[in-house]
Amino acid sequence: MGRRRRHDDSTATRLLDAAEQTIAEEGPDALSLRDVARNAGTTTRAVYTLFGSKDGLVGALGIRAFGLLGGAVEALPTTAQPEEDLVEAALVFRRFALDHPALFAVAFHRADPAVWPRFR
């Protein structure tokens, strides 16, 4: 019988939420794994187990950003008016940037090129 996993999807979600909140409130340079772990109610060991590193956590935030944005764009109906469809897609992008400024910053402004492959 294998050992029960201590760090699961709910831990990962809490860590991502805490990291997003930290970046939204204090900026990307304030991202500290110790603070993120504490705010998520876990330890830095969970960060390393689930994401491998700080860069891995940031990469996961980028994946979250593109997942949310992609899902919102995909949910838009396609009409016979491509110009209006483009405007609606732009509005989704704008809403995303306003609703998730930290994720927007990670995905479009602050992503280290070494982390970009994780966004795929």
Side-chain angles (χ1 to χ4, degrees), residues 36-96:
V36 167
R38 185 181 64 249
N39 293 337
T42 189
T43 64
T44 55
R45 179 178 176 190
V47 177
Y48 291 109
T49 299
L50 292 165
F51 303 107
S53 65
K54 184 176 179 177
D55 283 344
L57 177 63
V58 172
L61 285 172
I63 291 167
R64 176 185 265 194
F66 286 113
L68 290 171
L69 186 56
V73 170
E74 288 174 6
L76 291 173
T78 301
T79 69
Q81 304 296 323
E83 300 88 1
E84 291 177 21
D85 293 349
L86 182 60
V87 169
E88 288 303 314
L91 290 173
V92 164
F93 190 86
R94 182 179 186 275
R95 269 192 304 275
F96 170 78

